[in-house]
Amino acid sequence: MDYLENRELSWLKFNKRVIEEALDKDVPLLERLTFSSIYQSNLDEFFMVRVGSITDEGIINKNKRENKTNMTPSQQLDAIFTAVRRMQFIVEKAYTQTMAELKKYGFEHVSMSETSEDERKFLELYFKREIKPLISPVVIDKEHPFPFLKNKELYVAVQLLSKKNVKVGIIPVRHEHFERMIPLDGTGKRFVLTEEVILEYAGLVFKNFKVIDKTIMRVTRNADIDYSPNCDDFREFMTEAVKKRKKLAPVRLELSDEFSRVALDYICKKLELKNERVFYSRIPLDLSYLFSLHGLSNDKALKYEKREPQNAVSITETRSMLSQIKSKDVLLSFPYESIEPFIRLLREAAKDPKVTSIKITLYRLARNSKVIDALCSAAENGKEVLVMIELRARFDEENNIEWSKILQNAGCNVIYGPEGYKAHSKLLLITKKSDSGFEYVTQIGTGNYNEKTASLYTDLTLMTSDKEIAEDADNVFYGLLTGTFVESTNKLLVAPRCLQNKILDMIDDEINFAKNGEEAYIAVKINSLTDKQIIDKLVEASCAGVKIELVVRGICCLVAGVPGYSENITVKSIVGRFLEHSRIYIFGTQKRQKIYISSADFMTRNTLKRVEVAAPILSEKLKKRVYDMFRTLMSDNVKARVMSNDGVYAKKASDSTVRLNAQEYFYDEAYKNAQAKNERRLKERAKKQKSRKKSEKNEK
C-alpha cells in the first residue's frame, strides 16, 4: 500500500532526526556531541534488538513477509544496511564539525598524527608504563583459538607477518583498567583516546612479528532473548537468560579504517559474519565518552540553559497528598513539574495507619530508587504491598532481578508479568480505610517510576480518587495475580483485551460523525505507530473526512498526505532536548471530547501482547490542560518535523514570526506558574502577619 512504510526503515528515519540535532546551529556545541552519542547508542540497540530479531526470523522462516511492505527478512536487512551506510557521512560530519567548532573553546580530540614530538614521547612512555602491563594480546593460531569478543567492546586487530605465514593478533581495549581519554594538557580538554594509542604502539606488543596492517574493531551481538521459561523459578530463568545474551551471535562488525582483506575475511569467518555486515567509521567507534566532556567546562554557551523541575501549582506542599487527591484529580507533567508529589504520596501511604494496601507495577527504576524505599517501608510497616515487577524490561533485566530480591526481603509480595505478555502499564492503587468504608487513590502514568528519567523525558501522571477507575485498577492487579486478563472495564482501557478494540470503536465513532456531515477529529501523541489494524482504521477515517493529527516521535508506518488514502492526516515528530515519551489519545471535537493518557504506543506489541493501561481525563480543567498541551506541540515550529507524502520528514517554514519550541515553552510556563505561586504565598504570609500584628495591637 502507498500509505504504509516498513517499520525498520521508519525507525532509521527517526534516528536520522536525532543526528540532525547534532548539526543544528541552535543547539549548544557540547549538546550536539550528546546527540551524536545518542544516535550511536540508539543504533547499537537497533542492531542488537531489531537486526538480531530479523536475522533470527530469516533463519527460521526466510520467506516470511512483514505486513506493511511485504518484505522478506533478507530484503529488510539489505535495506537496513544500505540506509545505515548512507547515513554514515552525516554522522561523521556531525562529529568532526562539532569538534572543529569546539577547538576555540580548548576542546580537541587529537589524532596520533597530529601530536607533537614531545607528546608522542609522553604517549609512548604512558603506553609502556600504564597500558601495556594491563593488556592481554593474543596471536591466533592452532594453540591460541580465536577469542570471544564481548558485545560493544573495543579491540585492536593487527595483521602480522611471520616467517611462515600471515597471522592475526587481537588486543582487548579494556576501559575498566584505564581512562578512555588521555589528557594532553592540564584541563583535559585536549586529549587522545586510549584505543588510538594502543593502535599506534601495537608493534611494541607483538615484538616477534612485523605489523603490516591494523585497525580498531567493535562487535555488536544479538540481544534477542527467548523469554519462554524452562524452569519453575522465573527469576532464576531470567538470570540465566541474561547471562546467555552476552554470548549470542554477532550481527555487526565495525572497523575504524580499511583493513587487509585477507585478515578481515579471516575475522569474519571466525565471527560467522558476512561482509555485508561490516561497517567502517572515520570517527570513534564508541562515543559514550562524549558525556564526560560536559564536566570539563563551565561555559554556559556550550550547554543548554539549566532547567529544573518546578513544584506543581496544583499541589499544596503543606497538605497531605492523599487528602488533596481525594478532593480533586491531580495531573503532573514531567520534566517541567517535579515527581516529588508522587514520591510524597507513596511515603504518606507507607506511614498512614489507615492505608491497608499498596499495589504497583514496575518496569524501569532509577539506580537509587525512592520508590523502592517507600514500598519497602510500607511492607515493614505492616501494609499489604503487591509489586508486579517486569523482569523482561529489555536491558534492565539484571536491575529488576536485584530490585525484586530487595522488595521480597522487605516483605513485599512480588510477582512477575504474565507468561508471554510483558506488563508495561504504569499503575498504582492505594486502598485506605475510612469511616464510610474504603477510599482509593489510583495513579496512572505514561512513563516509568524513575526519578532520573522524570527529569529527562516528557511524561504525564494522573492521580485520582475515582472509585470506578479504582475498581478497574483492582481488576488489573487481580489479573496479574491470577494470570488472567481484564475482559471488560468501567473507565480504563486495558490491553490486551480492552484497549485496541476500544480505540477502533472510538475511531469508528468519528467516522460516523464525519459521514453524517458533522465535524470529526482525532489527535494522538505516541512514540510509535505500527499497529496495522489501527493504521488501516485511521486511513478509513481520513477517507471519510475525519481530521487527524498525529505527533509520533519515532516509528510511524503510516505515511501522511497520500492522495486517496491519508490526505486528512498530519504527522509530526518532535526531537529536542527532552525525550518525548508521553502518550495522549484525543477523540472528538471539544464539545464531546474524550481524552486519555496511556503507557501504550499504537504498536501491536503494546495493544495485543502487553498489559497496558490508558486512563480517561475526567476533570474538565485537566482535559483543557492536556488538549492545550497537544495544540502547543502541533504549533512547534522549531523542533517539529512534518512528514510529507513521500515519508520524508522536514522542518517547515512557519507563517508565524514567533518561534515556538514546545519544550522550552512548557518549561517557561512551569517557572512562571511556580513564581506566581510563590508570590501569592508570600503575600498571604505578609497579610497574616499584618493581621496578627493588628490583633496584638488591639489586645494591648
Side-chain angles (χ1 to χ4, degrees), residues 640-652:
R641 292 165 176 83
V642 183
M643 182 198 286
S644 58
N645 61 13
D646 58 359
V648 174
Y649 290 82
K651 292 182 178 180
K652 298 290 185 182

Side-chain angles (χ1 to χ4, degrees), residues 415-481:
I415 61 174
Y416 315 121
E419 185 176 346
Y421 293 77
K422 285 186 184 180
H424 187 252
S425 56
K426 292 18 178 204
L427 185 65
L428 166 73
L429 177 63
I430 297 169
T431 303
K432 179 180 177 180
K433 280 184 180 178
S434 70
D435 296 336
S436 58
F438 287 97
E439 296 173 354
Y440 306 92
V441 167
T442 310
Q443 176 273 336
I444 306 97
T446 68
N448 296 300
Y449 299 114
N450 186 316
E451 301 93 302
K452 181 179 179 181
T453 56
S455 65
L456 300 171
Y457 296 2
T458 75
D459 271 308
L460 296 169
T461 194
L462 174 71
M463 293 174 276
T464 179
S465 61
D466 186 279
K467 289 189 176 180
E468 287 187 306
I469 288 179
E471 183 182 338
D472 285 345
D474 197 43
N475 287 336
V476 173
F477 285 108
Y478 176 79
L480 291 170
L481 276 166

Side-chain angles (χ1 to χ4, degrees), residues 460 493 503 506-507 510 520-526 538 546-551 583-590 592-597 602 615 617 622-631 633-634:
L460 296 169
L493 310 181
I503 296 291
M506 286 186 279
I507 299 174
E510 293 308 303
Y521 179 68
I522 297 169
V524 178
K525 178 183 183 292
I526 46 180
L538 288 172
V546 181
K547 181 181 179 182
I548 302 170
E549 294 181 317
L550 306 176
V551 177
R583 289 89 163 185
I584 300 169
Y585 316 153
I586 302 172
F587 299 95
T589 56
Q590 283 183 280
R592 53 178 177 79
Q593 215 162 54
K594 296 177 184 176
I595 298 181
Y596 294 82
I597 65 167
F602 285 177
I617 305 296
L622 295 184
K623 281 175 75 172
K624 183 180 186 306
R625 182 184 176 194
V626 175
Y627 179 74
D628 288 346
M629 288 175 66
F630 186 86
R631 293 259 46 90
L633 291 166
M634 285 301 297

